[in-house]
Amino acid sequence: MFHIFCPYCQEHREEEEFHARGQAHLMRPADPDNTSDEEWGDYLFFRNNPRGIHHEMWVHSVGCRKFFNITRNTVTYDILETYPMGEQPTITADSEKLRKEQGVQTADGGWQTVGAQPESKALNEETSS
Amino acid sequence: MQRYSGFGLVKHALGHHENWERQWRNPTPKKRYDVIIVGGGGHGLATAYYLAKEFGVKNVAVVEKGWLGGGNTARNTTIVRSNYLWDEAARLYNHSLDLWKGLSQDLNYNVMFSQRGVLNLGHTLQDMRDIQRRVHANRLNGIDSEVVTPGQIKEIEPELDISSRARYPIMGASWQKSAGVARHDAVAWGYARGADALGVDLLQNTEVTGFKILDGKVLGVHTNRGDIEANTVGCVAAGNSGVLANMAGIRLPLESHPLQALVSEPLKPVLNTVTMSNHVHGYVSQSDKGDLVIGAGIDGYVGYGQRGSYPTIEHTLQAIVEMFPMFSRVRMNRQWGGIVDTCPDACPILSKTKVKGLYFNCGWGTGGFKATPGSGHVFAASLAKGEMHPIAAPFSIDRFHTGALIDEHGAAGVAH
């Protein structure tokens, strides 16, 4: 069960209040009249389907009913950050790789967000996994 | 290969069952094969089996990162039917159903295919219109489908609540009598044993880590057990197809989602058939062991975790209790999730790619089990001839750019 922080309501709510709406940051072709079949097909149907860090759009459907984005790990299901529409993620697959190499892990098994300090020094040490 | 028979069973019983042969070898990878199949699930093993048996390609390897049939083949709800709306899909699934009918004899392996029929319930006027349209389309394609009334449904499945007191009263159903269930594990094992006997190497615990591609042509795969060469590679990796495609620099129109199933404690025989409902969204049958086999929708987000979310379990069981109020106090025994590769039009992709010699058979989403024999057969034909089999041809990946989609969301049975 996800416990999702809505960036508009500014509080954590249960998964059932939300609805997943697929990959985030999709750009509609700017000039639809001069867009090839290739580009239309790519825009409509082709998606990143990563095993790992994924940026996706969710809607707080029975809450504030606003859309926002989540950066989530599709294997561990850890939610790494939520951010409003129009903003860019601070955590990406590349930055996450870097952080893992540095070994800054939080107490609950997730990875610390950018800029935050680990809660204790012990957490800063490399884990055997 | 040791053939199985009633006589053999008696013979081995007298020998205290100590002399059964292993069902397949555990070979060391050769340097080179004619065809490599990536993925040792039902579809991959079926492909290898038909390649060796019908198309004379015996120098084949099946490369599997885990154990045979350990993915979605072991995680589905075993429903087999072919009542799909569009001609292309109906041909594919019906080809499969034809192969199911003789599969146990063909493989000399009891896959426990039981044609107990499938009901697809309608709860609204629109449901009934869709059902009628689909049934008529089915009949034009030679599929034994009919529309049944609530009275007839009660005769087929007496425990279904057809009363008007239900929250979503049942108005009718489509009924495919030749549909049914099969034993999922036995299908994988039967194909594996058959393929092995024909000389196919089944390489377990062998994970593909990359493709060897030169000048747009595939030359083989890199694995954790060394490189293996082949000029034809067929990827049949279900939920992980996207990960494989990435290694080859190909994008697929797929999203991988967890799909859950659950089984109850074993009960005495109570269900005659398979009951599915798109509207309240759940499906249930009873295994020969007695447990209710229950499934419903995918989790809405992309996930590779092979586990599902609790809200989905709750919705699933709500649907089951809505259809069968008598199950309200049945206890569930086990629950699990598989990773299904869903396609935008709810139809699979059987296709060549821009890399010569590299083929994909994926996108079966929530309904791949029923297609195992047909999918394997037409994919094997395509790999052997280098040209897509006529039944497989409409399922090319090109359809997402030409617009020739085959929209089977209505018949797929699982919303996604």
Side-chain angles (χ1 to χ4, degrees), chain B residues 54-369:
Chain B
E54 293 200 8
F55 303 101
V57 187
K58 300 199 183 210
N59 188 20
V60 177
V62 177
V63 182
E64 164 59 46
K65 71 172 177 180
W67 60 93
L68 300 177
N72 294 348
T73 305
R75 293 161 191 268
N76 59 77
T77 49
T78 77
I79 300 167
V80 175
R81 61 189 172 90
S82 66
N83 52 353
Y84 280 70
L85 174 66
W86 298 100
D87 296 350
E88 296 87 348
R91 271 199 292 274
L92 179 58
Y93 291 106
N94 219 30
H95 178 54
S96 196
L97 186 60
D98 287 342
L99 289 170
W100 274 111
K101 289 173 189 165
L103 195 60
S104 290
Q105 286 72 26
D106 184 24
L107 295 175
N108 180 232
Y109 207 103
N110 187 4
V111 299
M112 295 166 77
F113 180 47
S114 154
Q115 292 177 287
R116 59 185 70 177
V118 170
L119 283 169
N120 290 85
L121 303 178
H123 302 260
T124 65
L125 270 178
Q126 187 57 47
D127 272 1
M128 291 315 296
R129 290 186 191 116
D130 291 342
I131 283 172
Q132 274 165 3
R133 179 185 179 204
R134 188 157 46 79
V135 164
H136 290 315
N138 288 164
R139 293 169 77 106
L140 288 172
N141 278 316
I143 297 165
D144 65 316
S145 199
E146 57 182 301
V147 180
V148 288
T149 62
Q152 290 169 295
I153 293 172
K154 195 76 184 167
E155 277 172 33
I156 295 167
E157 197 62 280
E159 298 303 338
L160 256 176
D161 180 14
I162 60 158
S163 72
S164 56
R165 293 189 310 274
R167 184 166 181 192
Y168 301 102
I170 294 166
M171 299 178 72
S174 73
W175 168 240
Q176 188 184 7
K177 208 174 170 187
S178 65
V181 293
R183 172 139 193 249
H184 49 2
D185 293 328
V187 176
W189 298 334
Y191 274 122
R193 173 167 163 270
D196 179 80
L198 292 164
V200 172
D201 279 358
L202 308 174
L203 310 173
Q204 302 182 69
N205 294 317
T206 309
E207 185 171 1
V208 168
T209 51
F211 293 94
K212 209 187 262 184
I213 297 169
L214 190 70
D215 297 334
K217 273 174 67 176
V218 71
L219 299 177
V221 295
H222 304 295
T223 76
N224 58 349
R225 292 172 75 186
D227 295 356
I228 308 174
E229 289 177 4
N231 289 344
T232 305
V233 177
C235 296
V236 199
N240 281 307
S241 297
V243 179
L244 277 177
N246 260 343
M247 294 177 191
I250 298 165
R251 267 190 116 199
L252 295 174
L254 300 178
E255 285 198 320
S256 297
H257 292 267
L259 175 63
Q260 309 189 58
L262 12 125
V263 292
S264 73
E265 57 193 347
L267 307 174
K268 287 191 175 178
V270 59
L271 294 180
N272 299 322
T273 180
V274 183
T275 306
M276 311 182 69
S277 166
N278 277 13
H279 195 84
V280 301
H281 208 196
Y283 37 93
V284 59
S285 63
Q286 189 172 22
S287 74
D288 292 351
K289 204 166 60 178
D291 17 11
L292 302 176
V293 184
I294 293 168
I298 57 172
D299 290 359
Y301 45 82
V302 170
Y304 286 87
Q306 290 196 319
R307 59 189 183 275
S309 68
Y310 290 110
T312 307
I313 300 174
E314 196 177 340
H315 292 309
T316 305
L317 294 175
Q318 279 167 356
I320 300 304
V321 173
E322 164 74 15
M323 293 188 282
F324 295 95
M326 73 170 315
F327 293 157
S328 66
R329 297 180 68 183
V330 172
R331 287 167 298 187
M332 292 301 134
N333 217 354
R334 289 180 294 127
Q335 168 270 347
W336 64 91
I339 303 307
V340 298
D341 42 339
T342 58
C343 224
D345 59 356
C347 268
I349 296 169
L350 291 116
S351 185
K352 294 183 177 187
T353 61
K354 62 180 184 180
V355 179
K356 198 166 178 293
L358 181 62
Y359 298 74
F360 270 86
N361 178 355
C362 57
W364 289 94
T366 57
F369 176 72

Side-chain angles (χ1 to χ4, degrees), chain B residues 383-404:
Chain B
L383 293 178
K385 296 185 180 137
E387 262 324 301
M388 295 314 289
H389 186 278
I391 291 179
F395 297 93
S396 159
I397 195 169
D398 294 340
R399 71 181 191 269
F400 298 99
H401 289 126
T402 61

Side-chain angles (χ1 to χ4, degrees), chain A residues 1-2 15-16 20 22-23 37-38 41-42 45-51 54 56 58 72 74-77, chain B residues 65 240 243 251-256 258 300-307 309-311 315 344 400-401 405:
Chain A
M1 170 79 86
F2 291 136
E15 175 182 345
E16 282 219 277
Q23 187 184 331
D37 290 351
E38 203 72 22
D42 286 350
F45 302 121
F46 286 73
R47 297 289 179 265
N48 297 337
N49 190 18
R51 205 186 159 93
H54 190 37
E56 53 197 20
W58 285 66
R72 194 172 57 85
T74 60
V75 182
T76 64
Y77 294 176
Chain B
K65 71 172 177 180
N240 281 307
V243 179
R251 267 190 116 199
L252 295 174
L254 300 178
E255 285 198 320
S256 297
Y301 45 82
V302 170
Y304 286 87
Q306 290 196 319
R307 59 189 183 275
S309 68
Y310 290 110
H315 292 309
F400 298 99
H401 289 126
L405 303 183

